[in-house]
Amino acid sequence: MTSYPLAFLFLCLSFFSSCTQKTTSETTETEVAETVSKPISISLTLTSNDDRGSRMALKLLNTGDENLPATGWKLFFNGGTYASTNPSLAKVAHVNGDLHSLTPGPGFKAVPSGQSATIEISSRRIRNKTDFPAGFYLVFDKDQNQAFPVAVAVDKGKLFDQFDRKLTERIFDQNALIQAVPDEKLVKVFPTPVSYQESGTPFVVDGQTDIVPDPEFNPEAEMLANAFSTVLIAKPAIKTQATGKRIMLRKNPTIAPEGYELQIDQNGVLLSASTRTGIFYGIQSLQTMFPGKALSTKGSSVSLPGMVVKDAPRFGYRALMVDIARNFQPKTELIKVLDLMGLYKLNVLHLHFSDDEGWRVEMPSLPELIAVGSKRAHNADPTQSLLPSYGSGPSDKNTAGTGYYSKEDFVEILKYARDRHIEVIPEIESPGHARAALRAMDARYQTYMKENNKAKAEQYLLRDRADKSVYESVQGWKDNVVDVSIPSTYAFMERVVDDLIGMYKEAGAPLKTIHFGGDEVPGGVWQKSPSVQRLMASNTAVKSTDDLWYYYFGKINQLLKTRGLSLSGWEEIGLKKVVQNGRSVWVPNPTFASENFRVNVWKNEPGSGAEDLAYRMANAGYKVILTGVTHFYIDLAYTPSSDEAGQYWGGYVDIDKPFYFIPFNYLRNLRNDYTGQKIDQSTIKGRVAVTEKGKANIVGIEAPLWAETNRSPAQFEYKLLPKLLAVAERAWAKDPAWATETNNAKSEQLYNQAWSEFINIVGKRELPRLDTYAGGFEYRIPAAGAKIVNGKLAANVQFPGLTIRYTSDGTEPTASSPVYKEPLDFTKTVKLRVFNASGRGGQTTTMAKE
């Protein structure tokens, strides 16, 4: 699933009084809905940063009318693991999760209004802006219910300049390998179809064109008409028969279930399929033929190139996972995502709606899950909400930390997905990553205990209240694992499953499987649970807490099977701990191999020893979804740039990573470690290959988009696109020639050609489409590559079709700045910035003249 090393920050504090000037800096995003008075502000300056660690100066400016007192307050913030090196000045405590507090010590002096105090922080090496602490807020002891958000300005200084300069030069070299491909030579259907042949004569669609479907395909015919309405002044009419210009949707039972065939000539369009799904995908192919200029302004006609296409997907499972638990996205954003998935023929939305930091879908039978589990805020009564996490700040009005889909919202989402032939797989994270559910059921317990109704209080309780076990999850939570030994845990799971079944039934949407998580349960859980001890005494199959794993998923499997559903989960649900060569290792568990478990195998980092885990599990009989962190975790930062947002614990993932992934030989694609450095290939030599039987068990590909660093729809879309296009290509299209070529030199040549064609298609055809499609997406516009060549400044861009603009007067480039056309005289500092056709720009690249 998602795992990352926590930052280790150590505080040493030195205080002084001074008049403080504001400096130019970058402001971290801590969004708070309401305006309140702010007693302090913080300027955070990075003063040193190398492999030994980093040091930051944290300046607290008293912006209030009164002294910041020497005692009686706490400063809260989200980040890694912290400790103070000078307890007399401050005490830093880990609260829970990624929330920490700083309390003044006996040596701290009051700070008068207008004056400041500086705190020096030492940390592990900072690699990008995601590493800085976030979500600061101040609470005074005298009023625990009042929290003051603290604005933080971050100045990283010039410490990254040398590294970022080298990266810019490396990007230039990478971009230089991309060849320009003439528009007329680009494939007009995306993702790449199985068979594609242009025939020359186009068909012109206008207001006189009719759509003539077989009756079964009437819903898709309406979709097609609506698609044309985005580019035509008058959309085509839907008729039962026509003799003029027409687009025919015909049933052909010989075509594969998700396949379609498309014939376009000067007389019309014939789209054939055996199912509504196949017709739908053929319609998406027609949409990707719309030229970019047609998308921005409606016209009287649009031309479709003449062609013959025969197409079907490589994998039946082509998925995007959206995490709405850790930071929330509104319903409008998820609807846009479904439109996007439909366009690019992705057919599974894995909805990660529950985790430690939030429960985001209303369950009609358990209102506490929303009343408590969907809300993050600072609260003097911690039973009323969840703790602030991932920089969400103290207010429950923050739309990243607080939010949920009502039953009506969720049913609407299911219907929308159903109509686009997208299966929505809900995830109930358990037994770990379950703090939101635990806290909600604790609140339910307290409510009914006040009414002296012990039976109802304990009906859905998720923990043994006498459990004294001590543990901490990889994300820092001390209370996020349900107790799998108590009957009420299974009553809760049954209740949630039945509520989900009811909502899917109301929506008329398919529900075939439920994902039950299963990852990252920390050591130490259940060790001191009296309920666990009673179970071990009465059940000979449970000899240790390790056996509780199989006990739990065995019972969950039975719960689902009785309802005609199958179990999905992260890889851990199909693993078993054994001792090999004197150490504990995880291997495929034969007990569940024949139970039709579907597992997302995410762990494949070089050096982990699990590089081949997906193949080992498939060979053992598990239905495997390739979800490797190294190529498909699209929430990870695009590049190692200090200005790039996103985590990097599993490496850096740009659009090339999913593109060059070879599903049945991905060990060949493991090139870099998490820092981006090339790995020693000998370290993975001898890993297990997938067998022919194993290949049949690989059901598809999934790209997770985790939400830790997504505090807005714009940040979400930035990480989603354009990476998702490469995911769609690899999940749909057959193995390209370079993937099966055994001669390395020839394979590289074929790859460079295919890569150039793909990048040209994305830059010239798909990005312009995404500027307007479904209301438009704020996809990432890459930074320019740049390098001094023969004494001049040369620049290039990853995607043909985008424009580089520059300034040399120290100002930021805008959409009206000069266009870069040829290498520039490099006599002074130049700033470069890439823009799309609508005038939106990416990050600025600064080439300083030394």
Side-chain angles (χ1 to χ4, degrees):
M1 186 190 155
T2 179
S3 176
Y4 48 87
L6 295 172
F8 289 88
L9 302 178
F10 302 89
L11 303 181
C12 53
L13 295 85
S14 58
F15 293 84
F16 61 89
S17 296
S18 66
C19 295
T20 305
Q21 301 290 326
K22 286 190 176 181
T23 60
T24 302
S25 57
E26 175 188 357
T27 301
T28 61
E29 295 192 38
T30 304
E31 303 164 30
V32 177
E34 71 267 26
T35 301
V36 296
S37 105
K38 299 177 181 179
I40 64 170
S41 66
I42 294 176
S43 297
L44 191 157
T45 302
L46 186 64
T47 57
S48 67
N49 192 44
D50 54 35
D51 287 338
R52 295 169 296 179
S54 63
R55 299 177 79 84
M56 292 171 278
L58 193 67
K59 181 180 289 187
L60 281 67
L61 173 65
N62 184 349
T63 55
D65 296 329
E66 301 177 357
N67 287 354
L68 177 66
T71 60
W73 55 268
K74 283 186 174 67
L75 183 67
F76 292 89
F77 49 95
N78 299 119
T81 302
Y82 301 81
S84 172
T85 60
N86 191 340
S88 69
L89 290 178
K91 176 184 177 182
V92 179
H94 175 216
V95 179
N96 210 348
D98 73 338
L99 185 66
H100 301 266
S101 67
L102 183 150
T103 307
F108 183 83
K109 305 299 182 184
V111 182
S113 175
Q115 304 297 300
S116 65
T118 294
I119 304 170
E120 189 174 72
I121 302 173
S122 64
S123 169
R124 67 175 173 92
R125 181 172 183 166
I126 301 294
R127 294 191 180 273
N128 68 22
K129 60 185 182 182
T130 298
D131 286 338
F132 291 104
F136 286 83
Y137 64 92
L138 184 70
V139 177
F140 290 98
D141 294 353
K142 62 184 180 182
D143 187 357
Q144 292 288 311
N145 285 311
Q146 177 70 71
F148 297 91
V150 176
V152 179
V154 176
D155 182 1
K156 59 189 178 69
K158 298 182 179 297
L159 296 177
F160 290 98
D161 287 2
Q162 185 177 3
F163 176 85
D164 286 345
R165 173 72 167 261
K166 289 180 179 178
L167 177 62
T168 297
E169 293 171 350
R170 191 164 84 232
I171 290 172
F172 178 88
D173 292 339
Q174 292 170 347
N175 291 345
L177 296 174
I178 299 169
Q179 305 162 13
V181 180
D183 293 2
E184 63 272 13
K185 291 189 178 297
L186 297 176
V187 175
K188 309 303 188 299
V189 173
F190 186 84
T192 304
V194 173
S195 173
Y196 174 93
Q197 183 65 50
E198 292 194 25
S199 57
T201 309
F203 174 63
V204 178
V205 183
D206 56 25
Q208 304 304 310
T209 304
D210 296 321
I211 299 174
V212 186
D214 283 352
E216 179 182 346
F217 301 141
N218 282 331
E220 282 65 40
E222 187 64 37
M223 282 191 171
L224 178 58
N226 290 334
F228 277 114
S229 73
T230 65
V231 295
L232 294 177
I233 296 171
K235 73 178 183 179
I238 300 173
K239 297 183 177 180
T240 57
Q241 57 184 4
T243 57
K245 299 172 66 174
R246 59 194 182 276
I247 301 172
M248 296 184 292
L249 310 183
R250 293 288 178 258
K251 187 176 183 70
N252 181 344
T254 67
I255 298 174
E258 289 189 293
Y260 66 93
E261 294 181 1
L262 188 59
Q263 299 176 45
I264 304 175
D265 59 27
Q266 68 272 23
N267 298 315
V269 176
L270 173 60
L271 173 57
S272 305
S274 63
T275 64
R276 288 180 56 196
T277 303
I279 288 290
F280 176 80
Y281 291 145
I283 289 171
Q284 307 317 304
S285 292
L286 287 172
Q287 285 200 79
T288 62
M289 295 179 201
F290 296 169
K293 61 183 179 181
L295 302 172
S296 56
T297 305
K298 289 186 179 183
S300 59
S301 65
V302 64
S303 179
L304 302 178
M307 65 178 66
V308 177
V309 173
K310 294 183 178 181
D311 200 10
R314 177 179 186 177
F315 291 111
Y317 184 103
R318 306 174 303 280
L320 169 68
M321 190 220 78
V322 175
D323 173 10
I324 57 170
R326 285 169 169 163
N327 276 315
F328 186 63
Q329 294 295 328
K331 180 181 69 175
T332 52
E333 187 65 21
L334 202 62
I335 293 294
K336 282 180 66 178
V337 167
L338 289 169
D339 279 327
L340 185 75
M341 291 176 65
L343 178 66
Y344 294 124
K345 307 183 178 83
L346 297 169
N347 67 344
V348 177
L349 173 65
H350 173 179
L351 191 61
H352 186 86
F353 72 78
S354 67
D355 210 303
D356 298 319
E357 299 84 6
W359 184 288
R360 307 300 188 178
V361 175
E362 179 185 14
M363 298 295 137
S365 301
L366 296 170
E368 299 86 359
L369 287 169
I370 292 308
V372 175
S374 73
K375 187 189 304 181
R376 290 211 303 257
H378 177 86
N379 202 310
D381 180 357
T383 67
Q384 299 305 303
S385 62
L386 304 180
L387 296 173
S389 299
Y390 300 121
S392 61
S395 172
D396 65 5
K397 302 299 188 294
N398 183 294
T399 55
T402 297
Y404 69 95
Y405 301 144
S406 68
K407 175 190 172 184
E408 292 74 22
D409 290 335
F410 191 56
V411 168
E412 180 185 342
I413 289 165
L414 292 176
K415 289 179 177 179
Y416 203 85
R418 175 204 65 196
D419 291 346
R420 283 146 189 82
H421 305 277
I422 295 170
E423 175 188 0
V424 179
I425 298 178
E427 181 177 354
I428 307 168
E429 258 285 26
S430 64
H433 285 285
R435 188 175 188 272
L438 277 154
R439 301 305 294 171
M441 293 303 97
D442 281 353
R444 185 181 190 277
Y445 173 86
Q446 296 293 344
T447 298
Y448 283 108
M449 286 302 289
K450 289 177 182 176
E451 298 175 5
N452 295 317
N453 192 336
K454 190 171 185 289
K456 268 206 162 187
E458 295 180 343
Q459 184 178 7
Y460 298 119
L461 197 62
L462 294 175
R463 64 186 179 96
D464 181 343
R465 290 177 56 81
D467 186 2
K468 303 299 183 183
S469 301
V470 177
Y471 62 88
E472 184 171 309
S473 76
V474 70
Q475 286 84 14
W477 294 106
K478 306 169 186 176
D479 54 356
N480 75 333
V481 182
V482 304
D483 192 323
V484 301
S485 68
I486 55 178
S488 54
T489 287
Y490 300 96
F492 172 86
M493 298 303 173
E494 282 192 29
R495 185 65 269 158
V496 172
V497 166
D498 287 342
D499 275 5
L500 285 169
I501 290 172
M503 288 186 280
Y504 274 77
K505 184 176 181 181
E506 181 177 335
L511 180 62
K512 305 171 186 175
T513 183
I514 295 178
H515 200 291
F516 267 82
D519 65 310
E520 296 183 337
V521 173
V525 297
W526 309 317
Q527 297 284 352
K528 298 182 180 180
S529 163
S531 177
V532 166
Q533 297 303 316
R534 289 192 294 270
L535 177 65
M536 290 171 63
S538 63
N539 189 327
T540 58
V542 183
K543 299 180 176 63
S544 70
T545 53
D546 288 343
D547 294 329
L548 290 170
W549 193 254
Y550 326 123
Y551 174 82
Y552 176 68
F553 283 109
K555 289 179 72 69
I556 293 297
N557 186 37
Q558 290 303 312
L559 184 160
L560 294 176
K561 286 172 73 173
T562 61
R563 290 160 172 79
L565 302 173
S566 64
L567 175 63
S568 294
W570 300 102
E571 63 200 34
E572 290 93 331
I573 71 168
L575 296 178
K576 182 180 181 68
K577 187 182 289 186
V578 300
V579 177
Q580 291 182 352
N581 300 322
R583 64 188 185 94
S584 293
V585 296
W586 290 95
V587 299
N589 183 0
T591 303
F592 297 135
S594 61
E595 288 293 321
N596 197 35
F597 282 17
R598 201 158 60 180
V599 292
N600 289 93
V601 183
W602 62 272
K603 192 170 182 60
N604 74 324
E605 313 98 297
S608 66
E611 297 92 342
D612 57 356
L613 183 59
Y615 293 160
R616 286 192 279 127
M617 296 195 78
N619 293 347
Y622 284 93
K623 303 302 180 185
V624 168
I625 302 159
L626 299 172
T627 320
V629 60
T630 57
H631 291 76
F632 292 120
Y633 270 43
I634 58 176
D635 61 293
L636 296 180
Y638 281 85
T639 74
S641 168
S642 64
D643 286 326
E644 197 65 57
Q647 296 181 344
Y648 50 82
W649 62 269
Y652 298 93
V653 177
D654 201 343
I655 191 172
D656 63 326
K657 288 285 190 72
F659 180 79
Y660 70 62
F661 183 82
I662 306 174
F664 293 159
N665 192 16
Y666 70 74
L667 294 173
R668 181 177 173 184
N669 305 138
L670 293 179
R671 304 177 182 178
N672 310 101
D673 64 16
Y674 83 96
T675 67
Q677 300 301 308
K678 290 193 177 298
I679 66 168
D680 179 358
Q681 291 294 317
S682 66
T683 61
I684 59 173
K685 189 176 182 179
R687 293 289 188 260
V688 172
V690 66
T691 63
E692 289 304 313
K693 178 184 174 183
K695 289 178 183 178
N697 286 325
I698 294 178
V699 297
I701 284 172
E702 181 171 318
L705 206 172
W706 298 103
E708 293 95 330
T709 61
N710 301 332
R711 298 178 196 143
S712 67
Q715 292 176 353
F716 171 83
E717 292 178 6
Y718 180 95
K719 298 182 183 71
L720 177 69
L721 293 164
K723 296 180 194 181
L724 190 67
L725 302 183
V727 176
E729 173 73 7
R730 199 50 58 229
W732 180 276
K734 62 183 180 181
D735 255 348
W738 56 266
T740 56
E741 175 57 56
T742 56
N743 181 287
N744 288 337
K746 189 174 181 181
S747 176
E748 184 176 359
Q749 181 183 8
L750 290 169
Y751 173 80
N752 288 336
Q753 179 183 342
W755 173 239
S756 293
E757 292 171 356
F758 174 75
I759 286 298
N760 275 264
I761 288 170
V762 171
K764 294 179 179 179
R765 298 188 61 83
E766 298 312 311
L767 295 187
R769 191 183 324 281
L770 294 173
D771 286 331
T772 57
Y773 186 76
F777 290 86
E778 293 192 47
Y779 55 82
R780 177 184 183 261
I781 297 173
K787 193 174 187 178
I788 307 305
V789 180
N790 298 324
K792 291 196 171 187
L793 175 61
N796 58 20
V797 64
Q798 184 180 40
F799 296 111
L802 300 180
T803 302
I804 303 174
R805 297 181 181 272
Y806 70 95
T807 59
S808 55
D809 60 0
T811 61
E812 289 294 306
T814 68
S816 59
S817 297
V819 174
Y820 171 87
K821 297 179 180 178
E822 59 185 4
L824 305 170
D825 291 331
F826 191 49
T827 58
K828 53 185 175 181
T829 295
V830 175
K831 292 188 174 186
L832 304 155
R833 194 176 178 201
V834 180
F835 290 84
N836 67 2
S838 64
R840 187 168 62 85
Q843 295 174 5
T844 298
T845 296
T846 300
M847 295 294 285
K849 180 66 176 178
E850 298 175 354

